[in-house]
Amino acid sequence: MKALIYDAPQTLRFQDVPMPAMQERDVLVRVEAVGICGSDMHAFLGHDSRRPAPLILGHEAAGVIEEGPEKGQRVTINPLVSCGDCAACHTGRENLCPQRQIISMPPREGAFAQFVAIPPSNLVTVPEDIALTKASLAEPLAVGWHAARLGLEALHPAMEPRALVLGGGAIGLASYLCLRAQGLPTVDIVEPNPERAEFLSAHCDARILTKPDRAAPLVVDAVGIAATRAAASTHVEPGGVVTHIGLGDDAGGLDIRRMTLQEVTFIGTYTYSMQDFRDTAQALFAGELGALEWFEERPLASGPATFEALQAGNVAAPKVILAPWD
């Protein structure tokens, strides 16, 4: 099969590779669409020790089951494989399973390839009227869904139902869409990149800001660098909630004194539960997350050039989806 191989920092190769190694319970999925995540970019830059080269990256995928009794079924993939037996799994918190695996991290190869191996319990059937390109957005949308759910559950009922999202990339946009779908009427997005901000203005009805202009009861940090954590600390209202999704860097920014004195709740959010993923997929299929026309599609073979363009900040769309068969 053809695949995009992360070979070394800032080095990708499109080449022939063996078919995926199948673990127990796995089925083979023919990948029709796979999105580029910020974590893929971190790996490409050599900033993610969990993804050592050489490796097939990519985990935001949708496709068609290639073999077995469900052959031909159109599916979107939950890339997080849990053990099913631990306390976290039994309580619906599979994202905290100590034995969890994810495609694009050893021992599982990712979906920047024509085929990927995954347990059938990680698949959600996609209706015929939903394009598989849009179905591949279920994974990043589920990250936003999980963060939105936890943030709203923690928000005091007396506070104004309003949120501020820091970052207008795919996860920031997903958080906006999921907060709205879960009933929050007012959500502003902060995006300093003018091309990205213009794209967002054309594709959603949020207020798009270059910097925060007022405090909010709920602040979502979808970037996760010191500067955005500092902005979240400054612009969350007393008694409010900060949900932290982004993993841009791992140090600095939080004003612990203010958060303590103002009783601000800080929630680190990682991926999603299987129920979050299913709920997101159903909301996507029902049209509750918008038209989902905020991606750009390119061939998988263009992967090296696409990563370079993303690194240079030359892609306006929040998401690039790669097509392995083009």
mmCIF file of all heavy atoms in Angstrom, residues 255-294:
data_model
loop_
_atom_site.group_PDB
_atom_site.id
_atom_site.type_symbol
_atom_site.label_atom_id
_atom_site.label_comp_id
_atom_site.label_asym_id
_atom_site.label_seq_id
_atom_site.Cartn_x
_atom_site.Cartn_y
_atom_site.Cartn_z
ATOM 1 N N ASP A 255 -1.761 31.945 35.788
ATOM 2 C CA ASP A 255 -1.678 32.812 36.956
ATOM 3 C C ASP A 255 -2.321 32.057 38.125
ATOM 4 O O ASP A 255 -3.521 32.198 38.386
ATOM 5 C CB ASP A 255 -2.393 34.136 36.673
ATOM 6 C CG ASP A 255 -2.263 35.130 37.815
ATOM 7 O OD1 ASP A 255 -1.896 34.727 38.928
ATOM 8 O OD2 ASP A 255 -2.550 36.320 37.579
ATOM 9 N N ILE A 256 -1.514 31.242 38.790
ATOM 10 C CA ILE A 256 -2.048 30.388 39.841
ATOM 11 C C ILE A 256 -2.623 31.204 40.999
ATOM 12 O O ILE A 256 -3.643 30.842 41.591
ATOM 13 C CB ILE A 256 -0.956 29.424 40.362
ATOM 14 C CG1 ILE A 256 -0.477 28.519 39.217
ATOM 15 C CG2 ILE A 256 -1.475 28.587 41.519
ATOM 16 C CD1 ILE A 256 -1.556 27.651 38.623
ATOM 17 N N ARG A 257 -1.990 32.333 41.325
ATOM 18 C CA ARG A 257 -2.495 33.167 42.418
ATOM 19 C C ARG A 257 -3.901 33.674 42.114
ATOM 20 O O ARG A 257 -4.802 33.568 42.950
ATOM 21 C CB ARG A 257 -1.540 34.335 42.671
ATOM 22 C CG ARG A 257 -1.976 35.244 43.802
ATOM 23 C CD ARG A 257 -0.947 36.341 44.090
ATOM 24 N NE ARG A 257 -1.435 37.228 45.146
ATOM 25 C CZ ARG A 257 -1.339 36.966 46.444
ATOM 26 N NH1 ARG A 257 -0.785 35.845 46.832
ATOM 27 N NH2 ARG A 257 -1.806 37.831 47.342
ATOM 28 N N ARG A 258 -4.104 34.225 40.889
ATOM 29 C CA ARG A 258 -5.441 34.728 40.545
ATOM 30 C C ARG A 258 -6.450 33.588 40.508
ATOM 31 O O ARG A 258 -7.580 33.742 41.000
ATOM 32 C CB ARG A 258 -5.427 35.435 39.192
ATOM 33 C CG ARG A 258 -6.817 35.947 38.822
ATOM 34 C CD ARG A 258 -6.868 36.801 37.574
ATOM 35 N NE ARG A 258 -8.179 37.413 37.480
ATOM 36 C CZ ARG A 258 -9.223 36.863 36.837
ATOM 37 N NH1 ARG A 258 -9.090 35.713 36.193
ATOM 38 N NH2 ARG A 258 -10.388 37.478 36.814
ATOM 39 N N MET A 259 -6.064 32.461 39.940
ATOM 40 C CA MET A 259 -6.990 31.338 39.846
ATOM 41 C C MET A 259 -7.395 30.827 41.221
ATOM 42 O O MET A 259 -8.537 30.410 41.438
ATOM 43 C CB MET A 259 -6.372 30.217 39.004
ATOM 44 C CG MET A 259 -6.170 30.619 37.548
ATOM 45 S SD MET A 259 -5.437 29.311 36.567
ATOM 46 C CE MET A 259 -6.829 28.199 36.430
ATOM 47 N N THR A 260 -6.458 30.887 42.173
ATOM 48 C CA THR A 260 -6.768 30.456 43.541
ATOM 49 C C THR A 260 -7.664 31.468 44.237
ATOM 50 O O THR A 260 -8.713 31.114 44.808
ATOM 51 C CB THR A 260 -5.468 30.261 44.337
ATOM 52 O OG1 THR A 260 -4.665 29.284 43.684
ATOM 53 C CG2 THR A 260 -5.770 29.816 45.761
ATOM 54 N N LEU A 261 -7.281 32.751 44.190
ATOM 55 C CA LEU A 261 -8.045 33.778 44.894
ATOM 56 C C LEU A 261 -9.433 33.995 44.303
ATOM 57 O O LEU A 261 -10.363 34.394 45.019
ATOM 58 C CB LEU A 261 -7.258 35.094 44.894
ATOM 59 C CG LEU A 261 -5.937 35.089 45.673
ATOM 60 C CD1 LEU A 261 -5.212 36.418 45.503
ATOM 61 C CD2 LEU A 261 -6.193 34.801 47.154
ATOM 62 N N GLN A 262 -9.585 33.732 43.000
ATOM 63 C CA GLN A 262 -10.875 33.934 42.335
ATOM 64 C C GLN A 262 -11.638 32.629 42.117
ATOM 65 O O GLN A 262 -12.662 32.607 41.428
ATOM 66 C CB GLN A 262 -10.652 34.631 40.977
ATOM 67 C CG GLN A 262 -9.976 35.989 41.075
ATOM 68 C CD GLN A 262 -10.862 37.037 41.707
ATOM 69 O OE1 GLN A 262 -12.060 36.849 41.861
ATOM 70 N NE2 GLN A 262 -10.282 38.168 42.082
ATOM 71 N N GLU A 263 -11.150 31.564 42.714
ATOM 72 C CA GLU A 263 -11.806 30.242 42.626
ATOM 73 C C GLU A 263 -12.139 29.860 41.186
ATOM 74 O O GLU A 263 -13.272 29.516 40.838
ATOM 75 C CB GLU A 263 -13.064 30.196 43.500
ATOM 76 C CG GLU A 263 -12.745 30.186 44.972
ATOM 77 C CD GLU A 263 -13.911 29.750 45.847
ATOM 78 O OE1 GLU A 263 -15.052 29.620 45.341
ATOM 79 O OE2 GLU A 263 -13.683 29.545 47.049
ATOM 80 N N VAL A 264 -11.129 29.950 40.342
ATOM 81 C CA VAL A 264 -11.284 29.541 38.948
ATOM 82 C C VAL A 264 -11.028 28.035 38.841
ATOM 83 O O VAL A 264 -10.026 27.528 39.358
ATOM 84 C CB VAL A 264 -10.300 30.322 38.047
ATOM 85 C CG1 VAL A 264 -10.305 29.760 36.629
ATOM 86 C CG2 VAL A 264 -10.658 31.799 38.042
ATOM 87 N N THR A 265 -11.905 27.347 38.165
ATOM 88 C CA THR A 265 -11.737 25.908 37.930
ATOM 89 C C THR A 265 -10.915 25.694 36.666
ATOM 90 O O THR A 265 -11.257 26.230 35.609
ATOM 91 C CB THR A 265 -13.103 25.220 37.770
ATOM 92 O OG1 THR A 265 -13.860 25.396 38.966
ATOM 93 C CG2 THR A 265 -12.937 23.729 37.500
ATOM 94 N N PHE A 266 -9.862 24.928 36.786
ATOM 95 C CA PHE A 266 -9.021 24.576 35.631
ATOM 96 C C PHE A 266 -9.233 23.105 35.318
ATOM 97 O O PHE A 266 -9.095 22.245 36.190
ATOM 98 C CB PHE A 266 -7.542 24.837 35.925
ATOM 99 C CG PHE A 266 -6.623 24.452 34.786
ATOM 100 C CD1 PHE A 266 -6.279 25.372 33.814
ATOM 101 C CD2 PHE A 266 -6.123 23.163 34.684
ATOM 102 C CE1 PHE A 266 -5.434 25.025 32.763
ATOM 103 C CE2 PHE A 266 -5.282 22.797 33.644
ATOM 104 C CZ PHE A 266 -4.942 23.728 32.678
ATOM 105 N N ILE A 267 -9.575 22.809 34.053
ATOM 106 C CA ILE A 267 -9.812 21.425 33.641
ATOM 107 C C ILE A 267 -8.901 21.094 32.460
ATOM 108 O O ILE A 267 -9.011 21.704 31.392
ATOM 109 C CB ILE A 267 -11.280 21.195 33.223
ATOM 110 C CG1 ILE A 267 -12.238 21.603 34.340
ATOM 111 C CG2 ILE A 267 -11.500 19.730 32.850
ATOM 112 C CD1 ILE A 267 -13.699 21.522 33.940
ATOM 113 N N GLY A 268 -7.996 20.165 32.656
ATOM 114 C CA GLY A 268 -7.256 19.619 31.531
ATOM 115 C C GLY A 268 -8.127 18.594 30.836
ATOM 116 O O GLY A 268 -8.752 17.749 31.487
ATOM 117 N N THR A 269 -8.234 18.680 29.509
ATOM 118 C CA THR A 269 -9.096 17.746 28.785
ATOM 119 C C THR A 269 -8.272 17.012 27.732
ATOM 120 O O THR A 269 -7.526 17.638 26.977
ATOM 121 C CB THR A 269 -10.280 18.453 28.108
ATOM 122 O OG1 THR A 269 -9.824 19.225 27.000
ATOM 123 C CG2 THR A 269 -10.998 19.362 29.086
ATOM 124 N N TYR A 270 -8.407 15.683 27.698
ATOM 125 C CA TYR A 270 -7.641 14.851 26.782
ATOM 126 C C TYR A 270 -8.586 13.992 25.949
ATOM 127 O O TYR A 270 -9.352 13.196 26.491
ATOM 128 C CB TYR A 270 -6.660 13.968 27.555
ATOM 129 C CG TYR A 270 -5.905 13.004 26.678
ATOM 130 C CD1 TYR A 270 -4.949 13.463 25.772
ATOM 131 C CD2 TYR A 270 -6.159 11.643 26.737
ATOM 132 C CE1 TYR A 270 -4.268 12.587 24.952
ATOM 133 C CE2 TYR A 270 -5.472 10.756 25.927
ATOM 134 C CZ TYR A 270 -4.528 11.230 25.033
ATOM 135 O OH TYR A 270 -3.859 10.354 24.215
ATOM 136 N N THR A 271 -8.549 14.145 24.680
ATOM 137 C CA THR A 271 -9.346 13.391 23.701
ATOM 138 C C THR A 271 -10.818 13.353 24.111
ATOM 139 O O THR A 271 -11.460 14.388 24.214
ATOM 140 C CB THR A 271 -8.768 11.979 23.452
ATOM 141 O OG1 THR A 271 -8.812 11.188 24.647
ATOM 142 C CG2 THR A 271 -7.333 12.058 22.954
ATOM 143 N N TYR A 272 -11.369 12.150 24.419
ATOM 144 C CA TYR A 272 -12.817 11.983 24.572
ATOM 145 C C TYR A 272 -13.074 10.562 25.038
ATOM 146 O O TYR A 272 -12.222 9.662 24.913
ATOM 147 C CB TYR A 272 -13.535 12.193 23.217
ATOM 148 C CG TYR A 272 -12.683 11.683 22.070
ATOM 149 C CD1 TYR A 272 -12.546 10.327 21.821
ATOM 150 C CD2 TYR A 272 -11.933 12.562 21.300
ATOM 151 C CE1 TYR A 272 -11.705 9.858 20.825
ATOM 152 C CE2 TYR A 272 -11.091 12.105 20.309
ATOM 153 C CZ TYR A 272 -10.977 10.745 20.081
ATOM 154 O OH TYR A 272 -10.124 10.287 19.116
ATOM 155 N N SER A 273 -14.247 10.351 25.566
ATOM 156 C CA SER A 273 -14.696 8.984 25.850
ATOM 157 C C SER A 273 -15.330 8.402 24.590
ATOM 158 O O SER A 273 -15.622 9.127 23.626
ATOM 159 C CB SER A 273 -15.717 8.987 26.985
ATOM 160 O OG SER A 273 -16.921 9.622 26.545
ATOM 161 N N MET A 274 -15.560 7.098 24.599
ATOM 162 C CA MET A 274 -16.238 6.489 23.451
ATOM 163 C C MET A 274 -17.642 7.060 23.304
ATOM 164 O O MET A 274 -18.114 7.278 22.188
ATOM 165 C CB MET A 274 -16.293 4.962 23.604
ATOM 166 C CG MET A 274 -16.837 4.248 22.371
ATOM 167 S SD MET A 274 -15.789 4.453 20.911
ATOM 168 C CE MET A 274 -16.970 4.382 19.564
ATOM 169 N N GLN A 275 -18.312 7.357 24.428
ATOM 170 C CA GLN A 275 -19.648 7.940 24.330
ATOM 171 C C GLN A 275 -19.591 9.337 23.738
ATOM 172 O O GLN A 275 -20.446 9.722 22.931
ATOM 173 C CB GLN A 275 -20.325 7.976 25.701
ATOM 174 C CG GLN A 275 -21.795 8.357 25.637
ATOM 175 C CD GLN A 275 -22.613 7.388 24.802
ATOM 176 O OE1 GLN A 275 -22.590 6.182 25.031
ATOM 177 N NE2 GLN A 275 -23.334 7.903 23.807
ATOM 178 N N ASP A 276 -18.579 10.120 24.127
ATOM 179 C CA ASP A 276 -18.394 11.436 23.511
ATOM 180 C C ASP A 276 -18.229 11.304 22.003
ATOM 181 O O ASP A 276 -18.793 12.093 21.228
ATOM 182 C CB ASP A 276 -17.146 12.130 24.078
ATOM 183 C CG ASP A 276 -17.342 12.671 25.471
ATOM 184 O OD1 ASP A 276 -18.439 13.148 25.777
ATOM 185 O OD2 ASP A 276 -16.370 12.626 26.254
ATOM 186 N N PHE A 277 -17.424 10.314 21.578
ATOM 187 C CA PHE A 277 -17.182 10.136 20.145
ATOM 188 C C PHE A 277 -18.488 9.777 19.432
ATOM 189 O O PHE A 277 -18.809 10.345 18.372
ATOM 190 C CB PHE A 277 -16.136 9.049 19.912
ATOM 191 C CG PHE A 277 -15.663 8.960 18.481
ATOM 192 C CD1 PHE A 277 -14.580 9.700 18.038
ATOM 193 C CD2 PHE A 277 -16.325 8.150 17.557
ATOM 194 C CE1 PHE A 277 -14.154 9.643 16.718
ATOM 195 C CE2 PHE A 277 -15.915 8.085 16.235
ATOM 196 C CZ PHE A 277 -14.829 8.832 15.812
ATOM 197 N N ARG A 278 -19.257 8.860 20.007
ATOM 198 C CA ARG A 278 -20.537 8.471 19.388
ATOM 199 C C ARG A 278 -21.497 9.657 19.350
ATOM 200 O O ARG A 278 -22.183 9.885 18.342
ATOM 201 C CB ARG A 278 -21.167 7.309 20.162
ATOM 202 C CG ARG A 278 -20.398 5.998 20.082
ATOM 203 C CD ARG A 278 -21.247 4.861 20.636
ATOM 204 N NE ARG A 278 -20.499 3.626 20.736
ATOM 205 C CZ ARG A 278 -20.008 3.132 21.869
ATOM 206 N NH1 ARG A 278 -20.195 3.779 23.014
ATOM 207 N NH2 ARG A 278 -19.343 1.990 21.873
ATOM 208 N N ASP A 279 -21.568 10.410 20.449
ATOM 209 C CA ASP A 279 -22.475 11.563 20.494
ATOM 210 C C ASP A 279 -22.073 12.609 19.455
ATOM 211 O O ASP A 279 -22.928 13.217 18.795
ATOM 212 C CB ASP A 279 -22.458 12.194 21.888
ATOM 213 C CG ASP A 279 -23.126 11.316 22.939
ATOM 214 O OD1 ASP A 279 -23.856 10.385 22.562
ATOM 215 O OD2 ASP A 279 -22.897 11.572 24.138
ATOM 216 N N THR A 280 -20.757 12.812 19.311
ATOM 217 C CA THR A 280 -20.275 13.760 18.305
ATOM 218 C C THR A 280 -20.647 13.309 16.908
ATOM 219 O O THR A 280 -21.121 14.106 16.074
ATOM 220 C CB THR A 280 -18.748 13.912 18.402
ATOM 221 O OG1 THR A 280 -18.390 14.297 19.723
ATOM 222 C CG2 THR A 280 -18.241 14.949 17.414
ATOM 223 N N ALA A 281 -20.422 12.029 16.621
ATOM 224 C CA ALA A 281 -20.738 11.502 15.298
ATOM 225 C C ALA A 281 -22.229 11.676 14.991
ATOM 226 O O ALA A 281 -22.604 12.083 13.879
ATOM 227 C CB ALA A 281 -20.332 10.030 15.203
ATOM 228 N N GLN A 282 -23.082 11.386 15.959
ATOM 229 C CA GLN A 282 -24.519 11.517 15.722
ATOM 230 C C GLN A 282 -24.907 12.980 15.518
ATOM 231 O O GLN A 282 -25.758 13.289 14.682
ATOM 232 C CB GLN A 282 -25.302 10.900 16.891
ATOM 233 C CG GLN A 282 -25.125 9.400 17.024
ATOM 234 C CD GLN A 282 -25.372 8.647 15.720
ATOM 235 O OE1 GLN A 282 -26.367 8.900 15.025
ATOM 236 N NE2 GLN A 282 -24.483 7.723 15.375
ATOM 237 N N ALA A 283 -24.283 13.892 16.267
ATOM 238 C CA ALA A 283 -24.551 15.318 16.062
ATOM 239 C C ALA A 283 -24.086 15.759 14.681
ATOM 240 O O ALA A 283 -24.752 16.557 13.999
ATOM 241 C CB ALA A 283 -23.852 16.138 17.152
ATOM 242 N N LEU A 284 -22.937 15.253 14.256
ATOM 243 C CA LEU A 284 -22.429 15.551 12.913
ATOM 244 C C LEU A 284 -23.416 15.062 11.847
ATOM 245 O O LEU A 284 -23.778 15.810 10.928
ATOM 246 C CB LEU A 284 -21.066 14.888 12.738
ATOM 247 C CG LEU A 284 -20.246 15.143 11.468
ATOM 248 C CD1 LEU A 284 -18.772 14.801 11.723
ATOM 249 C CD2 LEU A 284 -20.744 14.319 10.277
ATOM 250 N N PHE A 285 -23.862 13.815 11.986
ATOM 251 C CA PHE A 285 -24.779 13.239 10.993
ATOM 252 C C PHE A 285 -26.110 13.982 10.953
ATOM 253 O O PHE A 285 -26.740 14.101 9.889
ATOM 254 C CB PHE A 285 -25.043 11.762 11.304
ATOM 255 C CG PHE A 285 -23.815 10.891 11.352
ATOM 256 C CD1 PHE A 285 -23.800 9.723 12.116
ATOM 257 C CD2 PHE A 285 -22.666 11.228 10.650
ATOM 258 C CE1 PHE A 285 -22.677 8.913 12.162
ATOM 259 C CE2 PHE A 285 -21.528 10.428 10.697
ATOM 260 C CZ PHE A 285 -21.535 9.268 11.462
ATOM 261 N N ALA A 286 -26.535 14.518 12.100
ATOM 262 C CA ALA A 286 -27.817 15.221 12.182
ATOM 263 C C ALA A 286 -27.714 16.676 11.742
ATOM 264 O O ALA A 286 -28.727 17.388 11.719
ATOM 265 C CB ALA A 286 -28.349 15.149 13.612
ATOM 266 N N GLY A 287 -26.526 17.143 11.388
ATOM 267 C CA GLY A 287 -26.354 18.520 10.958
ATOM 268 C C GLY A 287 -26.281 19.517 12.086
ATOM 269 O O GLY A 287 -26.362 20.733 11.848
ATOM 270 N N GLU A 288 -26.089 19.045 13.341
ATOM 271 C CA GLU A 288 -26.086 19.940 14.490
ATOM 272 C C GLU A 288 -24.759 20.680 14.665
ATOM 273 O O GLU A 288 -24.664 21.588 15.493
ATOM 274 C CB GLU A 288 -26.404 19.139 15.756
ATOM 275 C CG GLU A 288 -27.808 18.535 15.747
ATOM 276 C CD GLU A 288 -28.032 17.552 16.881
ATOM 277 O OE1 GLU A 288 -27.119 17.393 17.727
ATOM 278 O OE2 GLU A 288 -29.115 16.927 16.916
ATOM 279 N N LEU A 289 -23.744 20.281 13.884
ATOM 280 C CA LEU A 289 -22.432 20.919 13.986
ATOM 281 C C LEU A 289 -22.114 21.766 12.759
ATOM 282 O O LEU A 289 -20.945 22.070 12.489
ATOM 283 C CB LEU A 289 -21.359 19.855 14.218
ATOM 284 C CG LEU A 289 -21.524 19.053 15.515
ATOM 285 C CD1 LEU A 289 -20.511 17.931 15.595
ATOM 286 C CD2 LEU A 289 -21.402 19.970 16.727
ATOM 287 N N GLY A 290 -23.141 22.138 12.022
ATOM 288 C CA GLY A 290 -22.959 23.019 10.880
ATOM 289 C C GLY A 290 -22.674 22.283 9.588
ATOM 290 O O GLY A 290 -22.691 21.042 9.516
ATOM 291 N N ALA A 291 -22.389 23.049 8.557
ATOM 292 C CA ALA A 291 -22.178 22.482 7.220
ATOM 293 C C ALA A 291 -20.824 21.802 7.081
ATOM 294 O O ALA A 291 -20.606 21.044 6.129
ATOM 295 C CB ALA A 291 -22.305 23.590 6.166
ATOM 296 N N LEU A 292 -19.890 22.068 8.000
ATOM 297 C CA LEU A 292 -18.570 21.415 8.004
ATOM 298 C C LEU A 292 -17.837 21.630 6.685
ATOM 299 O O LEU A 292 -17.256 20.704 6.111
ATOM 300 C CB LEU A 292 -18.710 19.918 8.309
ATOM 301 C CG LEU A 292 -19.416 19.565 9.628
ATOM 302 C CD1 LEU A 292 -19.545 18.069 9.780
ATOM 303 C CD2 LEU A 292 -18.687 20.175 10.815
ATOM 304 N N GLU A 293 -17.836 22.859 6.238
ATOM 305 C CA GLU A 293 -17.161 23.199 4.980
ATOM 306 C C GLU A 293 -15.893 24.010 5.238
ATOM 307 O O GLU A 293 -15.520 24.867 4.446
ATOM 308 C CB GLU A 293 -18.135 23.964 4.073
ATOM 309 C CG GLU A 293 -19.310 23.105 3.621
ATOM 310 C CD GLU A 293 -20.351 23.871 2.827
ATOM 311 O OE1 GLU A 293 -20.308 25.126 2.880
ATOM 312 O OE2 GLU A 293 -21.207 23.242 2.196
ATOM 313 N N TRP A 294 -15.207 23.701 6.334
ATOM 314 C CA TRP A 294 -14.035 24.471 6.723
ATOM 315 C C TRP A 294 -12.740 23.669 6.567
ATOM 316 O O TRP A 294 -11.778 23.884 7.295
ATOM 317 C CB TRP A 294 -14.171 24.980 8.155
ATOM 318 C CG TRP A 294 -14.850 24.061 9.131
ATOM 319 C CD1 TRP A 294 -16.178 24.018 9.404
ATOM 320 C CD2 TRP A 294 -14.233 23.062 9.968
ATOM 321 N NE1 TRP A 294 -16.459 23.069 10.366
ATOM 322 C CE2 TRP A 294 -15.270 22.468 10.721
ATOM 323 C CE3 TRP A 294 -12.929 22.622 10.156
ATOM 324 C CZ2 TRP A 294 -15.034 21.461 11.659
ATOM 325 C CZ3 TRP A 294 -12.692 21.614 11.068
ATOM 326 C CH2 TRP A 294 -13.724 21.044 11.806
#
